[in-house]
Amino acid sequence: MADITRRLGWRHLRGAPTAHIRHHRGGTLLHDGPGLSFWYRALTTALSEVPVDDRELAMTFHARTSDFQDVAVQATVTYRIGDPALAAARLDFSIDPDTGVWRGAPLEQLGTLLTETAQQHALDVLARTPLSSALVDGVTAVRERIAAGLDAEPRLPATGIEVVAVRVMALRPEPEVERALRTPAREQIQQEADRATYERRAVAVERERTIAENELASQIELARREEQLVEQRGTNTRREAEEHAAADAVRAEAEATRSVRLAHAEADGVRAVGDAKAQAQAAWLRVHADVDVATLHALTGTRLAENIPNIDSVTISPDVLTGLLARLGAREPE
């Protein structure tokens, strides 16, 4: 919308760079171009403001596929007015000289023209396409058909309209149909998720089994080594016992040999001593064989006296003394 200022019966218009202003006075074109700024009188002036910037026209409409399924089409058409003079001549872009507001609704007319043209071509292509194909490749097909139809529409260049771009954002079926179509995919995704979960569980179980087998194998190997250790210890103990037994046998044999030798030596010594004593006794007997009895008695008494303990004092009773004296007196005549 143009910026209009009032000054003492005059009006000043200041246009935007994206707005093409046409100023007529008395049927004569005085100003024509974008971004103009000028003074004028409202009673004798006719003004038109044509936007020349790119504009986005969003549209949503329903269509029916070849299998009688309703779909919603969401599209956007980018357009601009390439010939402002032609557009101002075909559509009412006049503005109020006092307020700068459009007297009509030219952009709504353009939007209706573009929407109906695009809808016509979209309906034509979707009417020949089944729902499954439309949902897969329908966006590209509808976009290309709308773009080609708008380029071939004669009313657009006759109005000064240029189509810059066409975009189709979505083709969506009815909510019930969409839910029905999503169900197999969701089930498949769920099945894949379940399969992945089962596979992860299987892998986890397999890993746990492998770990358990490794632990069992380790325990078996440990038990086997312990068995070998016990067996080796038994062997070592048995060998040590055998060595100790052998050493004891050697010591016993040596001790027995020594004892036998000692016994033999002692026997020989005893035998030698006995022989010597026998020889001495025999010699002693031979010496005393010719001695009389009284001498033998005397020698016996002497030997006995040598072996009896020391006597400090002897008490002789009269009877004993009398008997001894009698015996001595009886022996003297001999």
Side-chain angles (χ1 to χ4, degrees), residues 13 109 116 120 148 166 170 180 289:
L13 182 145
Q109 293 177 345
E116 291 179 352
Q120 176 184 355
V166 176

Side-chain angles (χ1 to χ4, degrees), residues 20-22 24 29 32 48-52 80-94 106 109-110 113 153-162:
H20 189 97
I21 304 298
R22 292 175 62 84
H24 290 81
L29 181 61
D32 186 15
S48 297
E49 183 182 16
V50 181
V52 294
R80 64 170 173 262
I81 300 176
D83 192 342
L86 184 59
R90 298 295 299 271
L91 299 174
D92 185 11
F93 282 96
S94 63
Q109 293 177 345
L110 283 178
L113 174 61
E153 178 62 36
R155 292 184 58 190
L156 297 181
T159 315
I161 306 301
E162 296 178 359

